[in-house]
Amino acid sequence: MRFRLGQREYDETARLVMAIVNRTPDSFYDKGLTWAEDAAFERVREVVAQGADLVDIGGIKAAPGAEVDPVEEMRRVVGFVAKVREEHPGLVISVDTWRAEVARAVCEAGADVINDAWGGADAELPTVAAEFGATLVCTHTGGQAVRTRPHRVEYDDVRADIVASVTTQAERAVAMGVARDRVVVDPAHDFGKNTWHSLEATRRLSELVATGWPVLVSLSNKDFVGESLDLPVGERLTGTLAATALSAWFGAHVYRVHEVVETRQVLDMVSVIAGDLSPARVIRGLA
Amino acid sequence: MPSAPALLPRYTGRNDVLADLRSGAVDAIREGCAGVEQVVLVVATDRGPRHAMAPLGQRVGEHLLDLAVGRSDDVLREAPSPGHPPTTGPGTAPPAGLGPTAPAPVPWDASVDECRGRGEALGNGAPPSPLGPGAGYPALRMRAASSALVVVADGSARRGEKAPGHLDERASAFDHTLATALREADPAALLTLDPTLSADLLAHGRAPLQVAAAAMLTTAGRSSGDTGVEPTWRCDRVEVSDPFGVLHVVALLRRVG
C-alpha cells in the first residue's frame, strides 16, 4: 500500500505527525491561542521545526458554537494557507473543512489535503479534491450532523459501521476522480461516538487498517481519553500518547495532534520497535 | 583495526556513532593494502559466543575490507527510511579488489606460545589455520613482499566507570603498553602482553596482535635471510580513541627492511 500527500509518497510503514493549527478563537484545547495570524504562523514554524510531517489548518471548531459561514471560514484560512505555502514550499498542508467551496479556495491557495472531518456532509467535496489532485480524508461520523455532539448514539457494531462508512466514502471519492492513492480514512474518535465507541474503534483499529486504505487517527486530548482517565483538558497528554502508541502498533499512518514533540517520539519509538526504523544512536554493549 | 560491533551496518543506528572510527580504519586498509596480492585477516574467536556466526572480528574485518574496495557503502548511507532497516549479510565472501583474503582466526584466549606458533607459521608462508569459519576461501600462503595482515583487535574495555567492564585501574597501563608497541612498531613488546591480564581487562585483541607480532618478526628475519636479525618495521599511522571506555586503535605498520 502506498499513498500520497502533496508531492510526497509514503508506504504502509509511515507514521506521520499532522500538527493542528487552529485559526479559531474557541477550539477546545488551545482556546484561541493561534487565533491571531502571527501566532498561527509562529505555530507553523514551531511544528515544522519539531518534526511535523504536515499541518492541518482549521477555521471552525468541531464542537457546537458560534456560526461560522463560508465567507468567514474562508477569511480565516484561505489567505493563511497561501502565506504558509509561500513560506514553506515543501510542507504538506491540510485544511480541515467539510465545505466544497472552502476546499476549492484553499486548494487554489496551495493546500494539498482536504480533511473532511464531517464525513461527506458536502457531497461535492470529492469533486474539488479530484480537480486539484488533492488528498481527501474520509471520516466516520455515524451520520452525525455537522458540529453536533452525539447523544444516546448506539451501533450494532461500531467497528463495522466505521469500516462500511469510510470505505464507501473512499470508493465514491475514487469514482468521482480522486486518485486511489490520495484517499485516507479516519475512524474519527468522539465524532458520533461515545467513549465506549472510541475505545472500540481504537481496540479494533487493525481491522480498519486491513481494508488497505491509509488510516488517519485524531486522538489528541479528546474526551474519550479524558473520560477513560477522568482527566480534564490539559491533563490528557499521557493518555493521548498511550492511545497513539497502540494505534501506531495497530498500523495507523497519520496522527492529528496538538503536541508534536511527544508524538514524534512515541511514533519513532514504535517504528523502532516494529523494525521499521533504526534506533537513533546505538552504542551500549557495541563499543 | 577495532572490532566494535557498532561498525557493522546491522548494529548502526540512524546516527552513525562510530563513523569517524570506521572511516579511519577504511583509510588505513586502503593505504596499507594497496598493491598487495593477498590479505590475511587475523581475528580472535568470540569469548563465550551464543551464536553460530563467524567471529565478530572476522565480520567486522570483512566489512571494513569491503568498504575499502568500495564494494559496500551501505553504512555510509543516509538515515534509513521506514521499512528499510539496515541489513548486512554474513560477510563470508572475500572482498574484491584487494586480492584474495583469508581469515586467520585464533582462539581469543590462546597462550602466547600458541600465538607465536601461529604467527611464525604465517610468516613462514603456511596457510592460515583452518580454525573457525573459513570455508570457501582459497588456501593462501603469506608471501612477505605481497601480503598484508589486517589484524582486528581492541585494547581494554574497562577504561572508566561507564565502560562495558566498569573501571579497572590496570587498564590504562595495559593500553599504554599496547598503543606504544604499535606506535613504535615493536612486535616484541606486543608479545609481552599478559593473557590473564588481557582477559581480566576484556582486551579482545591480545591474541591476534601476538599472532601478527610473531609473523612480523618471522617475516623480517626470513626476508633478511637471517632469523637472528632485529625486525625493521615502522608505524605510518596510529589513531587511538576510547569514547565509550573501550580502547579502539587504528594503526598501520610497514616492513621497511
Side-chain angles (χ1 to χ4, degrees):
Chain A
M1 183 270 287
R2 306 191 77 83
F3 64 102
R4 289 184 290 164
L5 304 175
Q7 301 301 311
R8 301 178 186 275
E9 183 171 345
Y10 304 94
D11 66 15
E12 68 280 359
T13 65
R15 297 180 176 93
L16 309 177
V17 176
M18 173 194 249
I20 298 166
V21 180
N22 286 322
R23 294 290 292 118
T24 57
D26 50 2
S27 287
F28 85 101
Y29 185 66
D30 60 40
K31 296 180 171 36
L33 193 64
T34 55
W35 172 233
E37 191 171 81
D38 286 350
F41 275 122
E42 192 52 42
R43 163 75 174 164
V44 172
R45 294 184 190 109
E46 179 182 57
V47 299
V48 168
Q50 290 173 338
D53 298 286
L54 65 160
V55 293
D56 188 44
I57 298 165
I60 307 178
K61 67 178 286 188
E67 170 67 13
V68 179
D69 64 22
V71 173
E72 171 61 12
E73 185 183 3
M74 285 193 278
R75 189 190 70 77
R76 293 180 180 185
V77 298
V78 176
F80 184 72
V81 167
K83 291 177 183 175
V84 171
R85 168 57 66 230
E86 184 178 355
E87 184 172 324
H88 304 276
L91 179 64
V92 177
I93 299 174
S94 168
V95 173
D96 181 347
T97 186
W98 73 87
R99 291 171 168 142
E101 62 192 297
V102 177
R104 176 178 299 282
V106 295
C107 284
E108 289 173 343
D112 305 297
V113 180
I114 301 302
N115 182 13
D116 180 14
W118 287 103
D122 185 335
E124 291 305 308
L125 207 55
T127 304
V128 177
E131 179 182 342
F132 287 91
T135 298
L136 180 66
V137 181
C138 299
T139 304
H140 175 265
T141 61
Q144 193 82 28
V146 169
R147 300 190 69 195
T148 61
R149 293 194 174 102
H151 180 60
R152 300 180 180 177
V153 171
E154 292 186 298
Y155 299 93
D156 288 331
D157 181 340
V158 68
R159 192 277 319 169
D161 204 272
I162 291 168
V163 169
S165 171
V166 298
T167 57
T168 298
Q169 290 180 59
E171 291 293 353
R172 178 174 180 271
V174 171
M176 293 174 72
V178 180
R180 183 166 287 276
D181 60 0
R182 288 194 182 276
V183 177
V184 175
V185 300
D186 176 4
H189 292 70
D190 281 3
F191 278 56
K193 302 173 191 67
N194 59 36
T195 289
W196 298 108
H197 297 141
S198 293
L199 294 173
E200 178 80 355
T202 308
R203 192 179 301 121
R204 300 179 67 177
L205 191 64
S206 57
E207 296 174 49
L208 181 59
V209 172
T211 64
W213 297 99
V215 173
L216 180 152
V217 288
S218 185
L219 312 166
S220 194
N221 299 291
K222 282 191 168 176
D223 284 346
F224 86 96
V225 175
E227 290 195 352
S228 294
L229 301 176
D230 193 16
L231 289 172
V233 172
E235 297 180 27
R236 299 173 178 176
L237 176 57
T238 304
T240 298
L241 295 176
T244 299
L246 285 169
S247 297
W249 191 253
F250 292 147
H253 306 92
V254 185
Y255 299 78
R256 183 177 179 274
V257 302
H258 300 99
E259 284 90 1
V260 171
V261 172
E262 294 85 349
T263 306
R264 179 83 272 161
Q265 289 180 8
V266 167
L267 295 179
D268 283 355
M269 191 67 209
V270 172
S271 293
V272 168
I273 291 170
D276 296 329
L277 182 68
S278 290
R281 186 177 185 280
V282 187
I283 198 63
R284 184 175 181 277
L286 298 171
Chain B
M1 298 300 131
S3 61
L7 293 169
L8 293 172
R10 67 181 299 171
Y11 293 125
T12 303
R14 306 198 299 280
N15 181 345
D16 188 357
V17 179
L18 297 184
D20 290 345
L21 180 66
R22 184 187 304 102
S23 176
V26 169
D27 286 348
I29 289 174
R30 286 184 180 138
E31 186 180 343
C33 296
V36 304
E37 295 178 14
Q38 58 191 31
V39 174
V40 177
L41 188 60
V42 186
V43 305
T45 59
D46 290 344
R47 186 172 178 169
R50 298 174 67 86
H51 61 78
M53 294 182 284
L56 172 66
Q58 181 176 330
R59 284 177 282 138
V60 172
E62 288 169 343
H63 180 60
L64 295 173
L65 286 162
D66 279 352
L67 291 172
V69 299
R71 203 181 71 162
S72 172
D73 62 356
D74 49 353
V75 81
L76 305 176
R77 72 208 181 287
E78 294 180 355
S81 58
H84 301 283
T87 57
T88 185
T92 54
L98 291 179
T101 301
V106 55
W108 72 271
D109 56 351
S111 67
V112 176
D113 284 345
E114 181 178 353
C115 293
R116 191 189 299 272
R118 288 173 176 271
E120 288 173 351
L122 278 178
N124 283 321
S129 163
L131 171 69
Y137 285 91
L140 301 181
R141 289 182 178 276
M142 184 172 170
R143 292 172 294 182
S146 59
S147 299
L149 294 180
V150 173
V151 183
V152 184
D154 296 306
S156 80
R158 305 190 66 174
R159 292 176 58 81
E161 292 186 354
K162 299 283 190 180
H166 201 260
L167 175 64
D168 187 311
E169 301 289 353
R170 300 171 295 175
S172 180
F174 175 89
D175 289 335
H176 178 74
T177 299
L178 188 157
T180 301
L182 293 171
R183 186 173 289 110
E184 298 181 353
D186 183 0
L190 291 172
L191 289 168
T192 68
L193 296 173
D194 177 58
T196 301
L197 179 59
S198 300
D200 286 350
L201 297 177
L202 309 178
H204 204 58
R206 190 270 314 169
L209 283 171
Q210 290 182 331
V211 170
M216 292 162 67
L217 289 167
T218 305
T219 302
R222 189 163 61 86
S223 67
S224 70
D226 179 356
T227 56
V229 301
E230 290 296 312
T232 49
W233 293 78
R234 71 163 191 262
C235 178
D236 280 358
R237 65 189 286 174
V238 59
E239 296 147 15
V240 177
S241 58
D242 71 336
F244 307 103
V246 181
L247 187 79
H248 296 148
V249 183
V250 174
L252 175 59
L253 279 62
R254 289 187 191 278
R255 188 168 65 85
V256 293

